[in-house]
Amino acid sequence: MRRLIYLAAAERDLVSILEYITRESGSLAIGRGFTDQLEAHCAKLASLPGTLGRPRPELRTDIRSSVYKGYVVFFRYREDALEVVNILEGHRDIETFIS
């Protein structure tokens, strides 16, 4: 099993997602529930063997992505770790956020 690492940008994305869903739903429990699901999806990616996700060479050669309920998890493999780079809503201008 790989270690799961969230880069600072991904941690900020999770906070933004939590705030948005909480605001839109009117419920902190719903916001936390959804971000917990996103984090569980990331943990599953880290726990599975092999190379997962879709390659994203248009962004960077080492970036891959996986979709979860309208959000796109961008990640890369580093030695024994899976690094989550960003988690963005699928309709956003992705290239603006991935550098």
Side-chain angles (χ1 to χ4, degrees):
M1 180 170 163
R2 298 176 181 99
R3 291 179 303 123
L4 177 60
I5 299 169
Y6 291 91
L7 299 185
E11 290 178 353
R12 287 190 301 272
D13 293 338
L14 282 169
V15 169
S16 294
I17 293 165
L18 170 65
E19 290 172 346
Y20 173 76
I21 292 177
T22 298
R23 183 175 56 252
E24 292 299 309
S25 69
S27 169
L28 179 58
I30 291 172
R32 283 194 177 162
F34 186 77
T35 53
D36 287 348
Q37 290 174 23
L38 269 172
E39 290 179 277
H41 179 73
C42 294
K44 182 178 179 183
L45 289 171
S47 72
L48 295 172
T51 302
L52 304 171
R54 175 179 158 219
R56 301 301 295 259
E58 76 279 13
L59 301 174
R60 284 183 38 180
T61 57
D62 62 342
I63 296 291
R64 303 183 78 78
S65 68
S66 175
V67 175
Y68 182 80
K69 293 189 177 180
Y71 283 82
V72 184
V73 177
F74 295 93
F75 63 94
R76 63 184 169 212
Y77 294 107
R78 291 279 193 239
E79 297 173 16
D80 68 338
L82 183 138
E83 291 181 342
V84 179
V85 177
N86 282 101
I87 304 172
L88 303 173
E89 199 276 325
H91 293 99
R92 300 196 61 183
D93 178 9
I94 303 296
E95 292 183 16
T96 300
F97 292 91
I98 306 290
S99 57

